[in-house]
Amino acid sequence: MARIPGVGLAKGLSVTLRHMLSKSVTQQYPEVRPDLPARSRGVIGLVEENCTVCMLCARECPDWCIYIDSHKETLPAPEGGRPRARNVLDRFAIDFSLCMYCGICIEVCPFDALFWSPEFEYAEGDIRNLLHEKDKLAGWARTVPPPPAHEPNAEPPKELAAGSRPTR
C-alpha cells in the first residue's frame, strides 16, 4: 500500500495544536477534595459487630497483612438448653504498608464485616504507623457511602443492613 508523504505528520500536528489551544484544568486538591466515582477503593473499613472471627479474610490475604486475635466466651444456657461458646474479637489490624488493595478479604467475608471506604488521605511519615487497629478501621466503616439503589422489590443493600443491626 502506498503511503502519502506528510499525511501522518499533519494528523499528528493537528492533534498537538488542538491540545495546545484547549484550556487547561487545574485541580486545587488540598483545598478542594476531588469528586470520586461511586464505589471508589480507598481504605478498608471494619464493622466490628459483624465479625465472627472466622479468619477467612486473614487466610485468603495474599500479603498476610491482616492480624486477628480472639478468645472464646461462654454464653449462659437458655432454659432447657446447653451453654454456647462464641469467639470474641480482641484484635483486628491491617498493615497497609503490606496491603496491595486487592479486595480479596472483602469478597471472602461471609458476614459483611469488611467494606471499601472512599477515604484515601491516610499517608504517614513513618511506615510503622500504617498498621491500623480495629478502632481506626471502624471509623472508616462509618464513611462507607450507601450503595446505588437496587431494583424495585430487591433486598436492601448489605451496607445499610449492617449499619442498622443492634450491637451485641
Side-chain angles (χ1 to χ4, degrees), residues 20-137:
M20 282 177 47
L21 297 176
S22 66
K23 185 176 179 180
S24 298
V25 178
T26 303
Q27 298 282 333
Q28 301 295 331
Y29 166 62
E31 293 81 28
V32 180
R33 289 185 54 121
D35 291 328
L36 298 174
R39 311 299 256 164
S40 293
R41 289 184 175 193
V43 70
I44 298 169
L46 170 71
V47 179
E48 187 178 345
E49 296 81 32
N50 292 357
C51 183
T52 61
V53 197
C54 66
M55 304 280 195
L56 276 175
C57 55
R59 282 190 302 224
E60 295 296 325
C61 179
D63 291 331
W64 294 85
C65 65
I66 299 175
Y67 310 105
I68 301 174
D69 292 329
S70 68
H71 70 276
K72 287 219 183 266
E73 187 176 271
T74 304
L75 298 174
E79 192 173 315
R82 60 187 173 117
R84 303 273 183 196
R86 72 174 181 131
N87 288 327
V88 177
L89 184 65
D90 293 328
R91 179 179 187 226
F92 191 104
I94 300 177
D95 190 350
F96 286 106
S97 66
L98 298 175
C99 183
M100 65 179 179
Y101 303 92
C102 63
I104 292 174
C105 58
I106 296 169
E107 294 298 320
V108 300
C109 182
F111 301 103
D112 299 327
L114 298 172
F115 294 98
W116 283 115
S117 169
E119 296 296 318
F120 59 91
E121 297 173 325
Y122 56 95
E124 295 286 343
D126 188 0
I127 196 168
R128 293 172 291 198
N129 294 337
L130 287 173
L131 179 65
H132 295 224
E133 298 292 333
K134 66 180 178 179
D135 55 342
K136 195 160 194 177
L137 297 173

Side-chain angles (χ1 to χ4, degrees), residues 9-27:
L9 180 65
K11 190 174 184 180
L13 286 174
S14 70
V15 170
T16 303
L17 188 61
R18 194 172 336 122
H19 282 283
M20 282 177 47
L21 297 176
S22 66
K23 185 176 179 180
S24 298
V25 178
T26 303
Q27 298 282 333

